[in-house]
């Protein structure tokens, strides 16, 4: 840390500048999808945990939904279980699902809980199976080529999509000053477990909680335009147009759709932020600079924190 950063006058100035944002978002719920570099680099891991604790201390209610794809892949490799993907989604048979539950619901979830608790917070780890929070159904994957008269349905096993989010357990925990940390595992009426994309779960949780913000941590600076510049302050109509003209495509498209659907579903704003930046969530909430792309349902010229 530089001598300038240690200047107590600067610290006080920063706190004073953050006050309007603290007042604006106190009592609000912020759902954060945690993954990517922020989950694998030590300095970013520590800064994320401290960010969640600080948010809670100033009256904001963070709810964390985490991924864990690389960790699942590593354990499958160690167990000599082949990983197969269809359209970017892991084919998940019963044996693979057991590993998914061990990694997401155990290793990764409890690691995040421990980090937040060590930073002075009170975190509780959950999966969507606890209290039947996430009701899921099997995801249908279709494949069709021009010569096919009807699409082929591909069975990728225990990969699911969200059918319903029950919020009573999450709301009870946040009301008692806990930070819920949720692994994206759902369950159907027959008790079958499903691995669900963490971005999708975070978006649906944000909608169900009527959250103020959905924040998706990524490994990129945000949504780029054709000139390679980060686009901020977008409306849902503008995002729809960017999807329509092909500006948004490829791997970023599912994440953007998730953020877009959340805002259309009642979340005040969605943020796709650069998880490689230390304290990215605080920068996005408490400053006007921002570190990513903001999507809202209203026009705004006030920057990336609105």
């Amino acid at each position: 840390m530089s001598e300038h950063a240690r200047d107590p006058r600067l610290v006080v100035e920063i706190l004073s500048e953050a006050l309007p944002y603290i007042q604006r978002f106190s009592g609000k719920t912020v759902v954060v999808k945690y993954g990517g570099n922020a989950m694998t680099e030590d300095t970013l891991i520590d800064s994320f945990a401290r960010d969640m604790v600080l948010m809670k201390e100033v009256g904001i209610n963070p709810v964390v939904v985490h991924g864990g794809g690389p960790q699942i892949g590593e354990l499958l490799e160690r167990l000599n279980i082949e990983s197969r993907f269809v359209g970017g989604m892991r084919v998940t048979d019963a044996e693979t699902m057991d590993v998914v539950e061990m990694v997401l619901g155990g290793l990764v979830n409890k690691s995040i809980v421990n980090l937040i608790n060590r930073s002075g917070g009170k975190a509780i780890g959950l999966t969507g199976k606890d209290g039947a929070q996430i009701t899921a159904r099997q995801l249908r994957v279709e494949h069709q080529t021009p010569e096919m008269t009807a699409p082929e349905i591909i069975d990728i096993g225990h990969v699911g999509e969200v059918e319903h989010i029950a919020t009573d357990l999450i709301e009870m925990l946040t009301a008692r000053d806990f930070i819920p940390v949720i692994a994206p595992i759902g369950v159907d009426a027959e008790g079958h477990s499903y691995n669900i994309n963490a971005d999708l779960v975070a978006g649906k949780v944000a909608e169900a909680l009527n959250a103020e913000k959905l924040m998706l941590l990524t490994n990129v600076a945000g949504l780029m335009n054709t000139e390679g510049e980060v686009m901020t302050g977008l409306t849902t109509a503008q995002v729809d147009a960017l999807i329509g003209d092909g500006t948004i495509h490829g791997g970023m498209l599912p994440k953007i759709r998730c953020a877009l659907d959340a805002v259309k579903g009642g979340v005040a704003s969605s943020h796709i932020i650069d998880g490689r930046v230390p304290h990215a969530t605080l920068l996005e909430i408490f400053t006007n600079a921002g570190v990513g792309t903001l999507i809202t349902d209203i026009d705004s010229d006030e920057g990336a924190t609105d």
Side-chain angles (χ1 to χ4, degrees), residues 27 29 56 60-63 122 167-180 209:
T29 297
K56 192 69 177 178
I60 298 171
N61 295 316
V63 175
K122 296 195 303 180
T167 62
D168 51 347
L169 179 56
I170 301 171
E171 289 170 339
M172 180 189 73
L173 291 171
T174 57
R176 296 184 180 183
D177 292 330
F178 288 98
I179 299 173
L209 291 172

Side-chain angles (χ1 to χ4, degrees), residues 219-243:
N219 290 340
V220 297
L223 178 61
M224 305 287 191
N225 61 19
T226 53
E227 285 76 41
E229 301 167 331
V230 176
M231 292 185 283
T232 63
L234 298 174
T235 66
T236 53
Q238 288 172 320
V239 175
D240 280 331
L242 291 167
I243 293 172

Side-chain angles (χ1 to χ4, degrees), residues 14-15 17-18 21-22 24-25 30 32 43-44 47-48 50-52 54-55 58 60 213 215 217 221 232 269 271-294 302-306:
I14 292 169
L15 289 172
E17 289 178 358
Y21 300 101
I22 294 172
R24 179 174 179 180
F25 299 124
V30 175
V32 183
T43 56
L44 298 176
S47 74
F48 175 82
R50 291 174 64 85
D51 288 359
M52 296 304 102
L54 193 149
M55 286 167 63
V58 299
I60 298 171
K213 293 178 180 293
M215 309 186 81
L217 272 64
T232 63
S269 63
H271 305 249
I272 297 174
I273 62 177
D274 193 345
R276 301 168 300 178
V277 176
H279 303 293
T281 53
L282 297 188
L283 286 168
E284 190 70 8
I285 294 174
F286 296 132
T287 76
N288 213 33
V291 286
T293 297
L294 162 78
E302 297 180 26
T305 55
D306 292 342

Side-chain angles (χ1 to χ4, degrees):
M1 186 181 293
S2 69
E3 290 299 320
H4 180 61
R6 293 193 185 101
D7 186 339
R9 291 169 297 182
L10 178 61
V11 174
V12 171
E13 182 180 342
I14 292 169
L15 289 172
S16 178
E17 289 178 358
L19 178 60
Y21 300 101
I22 294 172
Q23 292 171 322
R24 179 174 179 180
F25 299 124
S26 181
K28 305 292 187 180
T29 297
V30 175
V31 177
V32 183
K33 186 271 177 161
Y34 177 50
N37 284 66
M39 197 184 229
T40 58
E41 296 184 13
D42 289 344
T43 56
L44 298 176
I45 291 170
D46 290 340
S47 74
F48 175 82
R50 291 174 64 85
D51 288 359
M52 296 304 102
V53 175
L54 193 149
M55 286 167 63
K56 192 69 177 178
E57 289 293 330
V58 299
I60 298 171
N61 295 316
V63 175
V64 178
V65 178
H66 65 82
Q71 293 90 334
I72 293 169
E74 288 172 10
L75 184 53
L76 288 171
E77 185 177 352
R78 285 164 52 192
L79 295 173
N80 293 316
I81 300 174
E82 181 185 4
S83 291
R84 295 190 299 118
F85 294 86
V86 173
M89 290 172 288
R90 188 186 302 277
V91 177
T92 307
D93 58 16
E95 185 179 33
T96 302
M97 189 65 218
D98 287 341
V99 174
V100 168
E101 291 205 64
M102 282 191 292
V103 173
L104 292 183
L107 178 65
V108 174
N109 187 272
K110 302 315 172 190
S111 175
I112 297 168
V113 166
N114 185 48
L115 285 165
I116 293 174
N117 290 343
R118 285 173 53 198
S119 295
K122 296 195 303 180
I124 293 285
L126 308 164
T127 76
K129 296 173 72 173
D130 295 307
Q133 289 179 99
I134 304 175
T135 305
R137 57 177 172 262
Q138 187 179 35
L139 181 66
R140 287 170 55 91
V141 178
E142 297 183 354
H143 170 70
Q144 186 167 17
T145 59
E147 61 272 13
M148 295 169 65
T149 57
E152 172 191 10
I153 305 299
I154 302 174
D155 185 354
I156 58 174
H158 293 259
V159 177
E161 58 184 345
V162 175
E163 193 168 65
H164 176 71
I165 300 289
T167 62
D168 51 347
L169 179 56
I170 301 171
E171 289 170 339
M172 180 189 73
L173 291 171
T174 57
R176 296 184 180 183
D177 292 330
F178 288 98
I179 299 173
V181 179
I182 304 170
I185 299 170
V187 62
D188 67 13
E190 287 73 44
H192 300 126
S193 300
Y194 292 94
N195 181 20
I196 311 175
N197 178 276
D199 287 340
L200 297 178
V201 170
K204 293 302 182 183
V205 168
E207 288 183 45
L209 291 172
N210 196 28
E212 179 72 17
K213 293 178 180 293
L214 167 66
M215 309 186 81
L216 304 176
L217 272 64
T218 71
N219 290 340
V220 297
L223 178 61
M224 305 287 191
N225 61 19
T226 53
E227 285 76 41
E229 301 167 331
V230 176
M231 292 185 283
T232 63
L234 298 174
T235 66
T236 53
Q238 288 172 320
V239 175
D240 280 331
L242 291 167
I243 293 172
D245 68 16
T247 300
I248 303 174
H249 63 281
M252 182 59 78
L253 186 55
K255 196 174 294 286
I256 291 292
R257 286 195 185 279
C258 172
L260 181 64
D261 289 345
V263 173
K264 289 181 177 180
V267 178
S269 63
S270 288
H271 305 249
I272 297 174
I273 62 177
D274 193 345
R276 301 168 300 178
V277 176
H279 303 293
T281 53
L282 297 188
L283 286 168
E284 190 70 8
I285 294 174
F286 296 132
T287 76
N288 213 33
V291 286
T293 297
L294 162 78
I295 301 171
T296 66
D297 222 0
I298 55 175
D299 289 303
S300 174
D301 297 319
E302 297 180 26
T305 55
D306 292 342

